Amino acid sequence: MQATAALTVDHLPPQPPPNVIRFGMLTFLASEAMLFGGLIGGYIVLRSGAGPGWQMPEALKNPTTMAQTFVATIMLLSSSFTLHFSEVRILRGQRGGRLLLLLTLVLGGCFLANQAHEWFSLYHEGFWFNTAGIMGSSFFVLTGFHGMHVFIGALLLLAALVRTALGLITPERHAFLDCSSLYWHFVDIVWIFLFTILYIL
Amino acid sequence: MANGTSTIDVGTEEFPALPGQEKGTLTGWIQDLVFTVDHKKLGLLYIGTAWLFFVAAGIMATLIRLQVAWPGNHVVDPATFNALFTMHGTIMIFWVAMPLIFGFANYVVPLQIGARDMAFPRLNAFSFWLTFFSGCLLMFSYVAGPSLYGASGPPQVAWFALAPLTSRAFYPGPSVDYWSLSLLVSGIGSVTGGVNVMTTIFCYRTKGMTLYRMPLFTWATLTTMFLVVVFLPPLSAAQIMLTLQRYAGAKFFEPLAGGSPILWQHFFWIFGHPEVYILVLPAFGILSEVIPVFSRKPIFGYPMMVAAIVLIGFVSAGVWAHHMFTVGLNSFSVTFFAFATLVIAIPTGLKIFNWVGTMYGGKIRYELPMLFCLAFILQFLIAGLTGVMLGVAPFDWQLNDSYFVVAHFHYVIVGGIVFGIFAGTYYWYPKAFGRMMDNRLGLWHFWLFLIGFHLTFDPQHFSGILGMPRRIYTYQPGRGWEIWNLLSTIGAFFQAAGALLFVINLFWSAWKGKEAGEDPWDAWTLEWETTSPPPDYNFETLPEVRSRRPLWDLKHPEDPDWKFE
């Protein structure tokens, strides 16, 4: 009993109630939205300035890449649902919450793996920051910045998983999970915009 | 709970010393400053940092003024001159004005809303140290050794660093990177600080303190922090794009590769114009606290004042391109941005009328904070009027990048914001240190700074209209600019003398000032309810707030405000 005491809820310092943390997190996400808004706005301005000269590279247009990215998109979006159901279960103290959290992480990991693969194949086709003009610059900045956010979100969820396993996230005390999941949902929403403007339009 | 006072059960012992920390020694004191998460200490650290950078950037300003004092002068060489105005502008905005805003928000807002501390105390410390070290990062460019490219030293790109001057081809070496990265880091610090203050105001108001009963300084700070959270990220996005352009070969702002240098200007001013309101709204807030207390009347038109603050905040989002009239926008954009710019004059004018309305018929006490507020009203009026002039696009085509613009924005920032900050300092200093600031030194400071300010910036309107361009290194005689420049340089020394007396006063009064007591100004907001300086836990008991002037209700139970609101 004494050995595990340091890890139980009763021995942690008091925290402000979750709605404060949630409010802070949402405000922070508003600033993140403006950061992506800036980058996306820049992309739109540059692209509309380029007019018909704007050609997506072959590597992005071929059906295999499109199919792979589409599957990765579906995976990232469904990870939001698995995360939601995981959170619901953990907050209700039901079984299966941790498994769903793990599944979320796996889905996010698959998305990141696909992004990395795409970057490598583009690089080998000679499409990089400095070789493909503003199109290359914008593509890599947007996907790279988003990928970095997915990576950070995955780290947060991993930490949430560990904390759940250690009993630090409970139905009464779950601010960490709350914030990580808000962040994850935000990153997913950003990807919907990015996928639309980079791959579809 | 009886007689309207709710008591909060708090431990009143001091915080325990950190491991290895000795209380009462110099090292213990330094450790306390470094590891503190207390909003009052962090607020003072912010303000102290700001005055430190203020001295540095003020010396730069004096050198700039010396260089252009008379025609053909050679006090510094041209490269140093370019570096001087770049560093002066950047430091004054990001490491003087911003930390002052955050310092006052930190110190005053939790006290005004009856909170124990900020919502996220450790995040607060994080924000402060990011701000502090990002400033050090920029200053480090002065001592960083010559790079492989032979170009180093401080950046020479002006504070808005227009593309494509900042690309590798035109600016090799690390100078621009110091500029860009330090702004990125300070941006992160400001955004986290903004998140913190907003959360504090929305979640930690004491019992009965509805949004509609909030002091106006808190309202102004809330709007400011909203602008920080929303409009600093586009600048960070631009800095990231610039850094990738310089290091990864991206082409965002390179016209030859299809990039757009004007895009940089849009990014910069989407941040840059709300920044003006980020700085001036808290100064408005300070005036709205000081003027009622020293006129012995409640603020005139509180709902209108709140509406004006929020309206200014929103409209400020749609005016940025008035900094870009001369780049060749289409006529629709010019009309839109000129119109939006003129619209801002309405809520601002409303505030000026309401301050005057507050003073009308009041028993005005000409104490130091009030003197600075009076100067503020006059100067900000003129600053606003020249702003309206420059907001009219054809006028701006004539005078853009002239000394007229320099005079205009120094009127806003020095005549407005700095005077407001001085008023706030004289007003809240007794709360922070328990002692009054010395009145005689303060009066000397006021008059020297007032005369210096007008002597410096009034003539610049004339040299600007006579065609003197901004950022010019030197000029030929016979253009009619000599007398104005000479006057302006003399004024700079008056300001420097005033500022020196102010700094001396800050230290002298903390040591020898008259004891202040809890409420030296007979004021009405909650921060005057606790001891001066406030204890770690801020309040032992708090009255239940039932009106906008909770302490008036306490002092005058026979005639409380809540009967009339």
Side-chain angles (χ1 to χ4, degrees):
Chain A
M1 192 61 212
Q2 206 58 23
T4 55
L7 293 172
T8 60
V9 176
D10 308 311
H11 291 78
L12 289 171
Q15 272 192 331
N19 68 333
V20 175
I21 299 179
R22 203 177 163 83
F23 185 92
M25 191 66 194
L26 285 169
T27 321
F28 170 68
L29 288 181
S31 85
E32 288 274 275
M34 283 304 287
L35 190 66
F36 276 105
L39 292 172
I40 292 173
Y43 171 84
I44 291 172
V45 168
L46 289 174
R47 183 168 166 175
S48 54
W54 190 276
Q55 285 290 330
M56 289 311 260
E58 287 303 315
L60 278 181
K61 281 200 296 192
N62 76 55
T64 331
T65 316
M66 281 301 278
Q68 278 173 359
T69 311
F70 186 71
V71 172
T73 305
I74 298 294
M75 284 172 123
L76 189 65
L77 295 189
S78 39
S79 76
S80 261
F81 290 95
T82 55
L83 178 59
H84 174 73
F85 291 122
S86 145
E87 212 185 338
V88 168
R89 274 160 206 268
I90 290 171
L91 295 201
R92 286 193 191 141
Q94 293 169 343
R95 294 169 62 82
R98 265 183 269 163
L99 194 65
L100 279 166
L101 197 51
L102 190 63
L103 184 61
T104 312
L105 270 171
V106 171
L107 288 168
C110 288
F111 175 83
L112 278 178
N114 180 63
Q115 285 282 325
H117 173 256
E118 198 171 294
W119 273 41
F120 270 110
S121 52
L122 285 170
Y123 180 72
H124 285 298
E125 296 200 19
F127 183 70
W128 196 237
F129 278 105
N130 50 351
T131 53
I134 41 173
M135 181 174 33
S137 312
S138 340
F139 179 83
F140 286 108
V141 166
L142 285 170
T143 54
F145 221 67
H146 178 263
M148 198 176 83
H149 276 74
V150 177
F151 183 69
I152 293 170
L155 286 184
L156 286 173
L157 288 184
L158 187 65
L161 185 62
V162 172
R163 288 170 74 99
T164 315
L166 290 175
L168 294 172
I169 292 174
T170 61
E172 294 78 34
R173 195 189 151 82
H174 48 78
F176 189 89
L177 183 60
D178 269 2
C179 292
S180 320
S181 94
L182 277 176
Y183 190 82
W184 190 260
H185 293 314
F186 168 77
V187 170
D188 277 12
I189 294 168
V190 169
W191 181 250
I192 297 177
F193 285 96
L194 290 188
F195 184 69
T196 314
I197 60 166
L198 288 176
Y199 293 87
I200 297 178
L201 292 179
Chain B
M1 277 309 214
N3 64 18
T5 308
S6 58
T7 314
I8 301 164
D9 180 27
V10 286
T12 51
E13 75 275 15
E14 297 256 307
F15 285 137
L18 293 160
Q21 179 190 8
E22 298 150 64
K23 287 239 165 188
T25 62
L26 182 65
T27 47
W29 184 71
I30 292 170
Q31 279 179 331
D32 192 32
L33 282 188
V34 172
F35 294 114
T36 187
V37 293
D38 178 52
H39 75 97
K40 298 179 289 297
K41 285 176 189 155
L42 283 168
L44 294 179
L45 279 172
Y46 262 121
I47 294 171
T49 305
W51 291 127
L52 207 64
F53 280 106
F54 179 81
V55 170
I59 291 170
M60 292 173 193
T62 316
L63 285 173
I64 294 171
R65 279 316 318 163
L66 272 180
Q67 167 57 35
V68 290
W70 48 81
N73 207 1
H74 291 286
V75 177
V76 292
D77 61 85
T80 312
F81 184 75
N82 291 351
L84 280 175
F85 65 68
T86 306
M87 295 289 276
H88 166 76
T90 311
I91 292 173
M92 280 293 190
I93 296 291
F94 291 95
W95 291 282
V96 178
M98 290 291 268
L100 281 172
I101 298 314
F102 275 100
F104 274 83
N106 249 302
Y107 198 97
V108 176
V109 164
L111 289 171
Q112 276 198 332
I113 61 175
R116 195 65 45 74
D117 202 321
M118 300 281 272
F120 309 112
R122 280 186 298 173
L123 187 69
N124 200 15
F126 174 75
S127 310
F128 166 71
W129 290 107
L130 279 192
T131 307
F132 179 79
F133 283 117
S134 59
C136 296
L137 179 64
L138 183 68
M139 289 301 269
F140 186 68
S141 65
Y142 262 110
V143 290
S147 73
L148 287 174
Y149 307 96
S152 71
Q156 304 172 23
V157 289
W159 87 284
F160 37 70
L162 296 188
L165 178 59
T166 46
S167 63
R168 268 259 185 257
F170 302 110
Y171 219 116
S175 308
V176 173
D177 304 313
Y178 282 115
W179 182 85
S180 165
L181 294 177
S182 60
L183 255 59
L184 188 59
V185 176
S186 105
I188 297 170
S190 302
V191 166
T192 50
V195 166
N196 205 345
V197 176
M198 274 179 83
T199 311
T200 308
I201 295 176
F202 274 119
C203 301
Y204 279 80
R205 275 168 287 131
T206 188
K207 199 175 172 193
M209 172 84 70
T210 59
L211 283 178
Y212 209 48
R213 289 179 193 154
M214 238 162 50
L216 281 168
F217 178 74
T218 305
W219 258 112
T221 305
L222 178 63
T223 316
T224 279
M225 294 306 162
F226 172 79
L227 293 176
V228 167
V229 167
V230 172
F231 292 111
L232 263 172
L235 180 71
S236 303
Q239 304 294 4
I240 290 162
M241 290 160 97
L242 177 63
T243 305
L244 283 172
Q245 177 167 324
R246 289 177 60 81
Y247 282 96
K251 303 277 190 283
F252 298 105
F253 311 120
E254 299 258 19
L256 286 177
S260 163
I262 295 178
L263 182 64
W264 168 268
Q265 293 198 29
H266 278 296
F267 270 122
F268 192 88
W269 293 117
I270 283 174
F271 149 79
H273 202 83
E275 171 71 12
V276 179
Y277 296 96
I278 288 170
L279 302 181
V280 83
L281 283 176
F284 287 171
I286 291 171
L287 255 76
S288 305
E289 297 296 326
V290 171
I291 289 178
V293 169
F294 291 87
S295 306
R296 312 312 301 155
K297 276 176 68 190
I299 188 87
F300 183 83
Y302 174 93
M304 282 298 116
M305 291 302 256
V306 173
I309 290 172
V310 176
L311 194 66
I312 291 173
F314 277 111
V315 181
S316 76
V319 297
W320 77 86
H322 67 214
H323 295 266
M324 300 165 56
F325 283 150
T326 48
V327 302
L329 302 168
N330 60 43
S331 62
F332 172 76
S333 308
V334 169
T335 316
F336 174 83
F337 285 107
F339 177 73
T341 306
L342 302 190
V343 163
I344 283 209
I346 297 170
T348 314
L350 197 147
K351 295 188 81 67
I352 288 181
F353 279 120
N354 279 1
W355 288 321
V356 176
T358 307
M359 285 186 281
Y360 179 76
K363 276 183 166 173
I364 298 180
R365 297 183 301 192
Y366 292 98
E367 301 278 356
L368 281 164
M370 190 62 178
L371 288 179
F372 279 97
C373 287
L374 293 172
F376 175 105
I377 293 178
L378 178 77
Q379 285 153 194
F380 199 78
L381 180 65
I382 297 172
L385 290 176
T386 52
V388 169
M389 289 158 81
L390 288 169
V392 180
F395 189 86
D396 185 74
W397 290 331
Q398 291 299 315
L399 286 174
N400 187 41
D401 264 353
S402 76
Y403 259 80
F404 190 82
V405 175
V406 177
H408 159 67
F409 70 73
H410 280 94
Y411 247 78
V412 175
I413 292 176
V414 183
I417 295 155
V418 172
F419 271 73
I421 291 290
F422 282 145
T425 308
Y426 284 104
Y427 183 58
W428 281 305
Y429 186 94
K431 179 47 67 183
F433 293 95
R435 291 174 186 278
M436 308 296 285
M437 283 186 85
D438 187 81
N439 200 48
R440 185 206 288 261
L441 270 175
L443 281 172
W444 272 99
H445 164 219
F446 173 72
W447 287 108
L448 278 174
F449 207 82
L450 186 84
I451 294 168
F453 166 78
H454 285 281
L455 211 51
T456 310
F457 297 112
D458 295 3
Q460 291 182 5
H461 291 100
F462 301 108
S463 54
I465 286 178
L466 291 173
M468 179 163 168
R470 183 180 173 184
R471 295 189 290 272
I472 195 175
Y473 170 64
T474 189
Y475 49 90
Q476 292 168 326
R479 289 170 188 266
W481 305 343
E482 291 95 333
I483 178 69
W484 306 121
N485 276 305
L486 189 61
L487 285 175
S488 194
T489 303
I490 295 169
F493 284 93
F494 274 85
Q495 285 192 68
L500 184 69
L501 290 182
F502 173 68
V503 173
I504 291 171
N505 200 351
L506 286 179
F507 286 101
W508 168 261
S509 302
W511 179 44
K512 285 276 184 181
K514 199 170 71 198
E515 292 274 350
E518 285 186 9
D519 184 10
W521 308 119
D522 192 8
W524 303 311
T525 38
L526 283 182
E527 72 267 32
W528 303 104
E529 202 270 342
T530 184
T531 54
S532 313
D536 285 344
Y537 44 87
N538 284 356
F539 299 99
E540 269 178 68
T541 58
L542 272 171
E544 193 182 329
V545 177
R546 301 179 73 183
S547 75
R548 288 169 201 143
R549 299 194 296 167
L551 292 203
W552 171 275
D553 295 352
L554 267 192
K555 293 170 191 166
H556 303 273
E558 76 290 350
D559 180 29
D561 267 8
W562 52 263
K563 279 193 179 164
F564 306 100
E565 278 179 9

